[in-house]
Amino acid sequence: MQWAWDAQEERVVKLQVLAFIEEHCRGLTLRDVCEWYNEAFGLEPLRDGVTHS
């Protein structure tokens, strides 16, 4: 048996995650946020002058 969220529960969880990210990233530069994200998900660091699309 697999448990599934209903639409309201999913919305609440997404809002809680967004609120955490907003609070955690308050005062950080975009580069700080990118580095934090890359470290958290094991991605390669950004190089200066490289753009991602």
Side-chain angles (χ1 to χ4, degrees):
M1 182 174 152
Q2 189 175 16
W3 181 77
W5 292 349
D6 66 30
Q8 180 63 25
E9 290 172 325
E10 184 175 359
R11 183 175 187 281
V12 168
V13 170
K14 286 180 180 180
L15 290 172
Q16 289 173 335
V17 169
L18 180 58
F20 168 80
I21 291 170
E22 287 175 342
E23 185 62 31
H24 180 78
C25 296
R26 188 177 309 278
L28 297 179
T29 65
L30 183 55
R31 177 161 300 280
D32 293 335
V33 173
C34 288
E35 289 174 2
W36 170 72
Y37 182 89
N38 291 338
E39 287 175 9
F41 293 101
L43 304 174
E44 292 184 25
L46 291 175
R47 294 180 306 242
D48 288 336
V50 175
T51 58
H52 296 273
S53 52

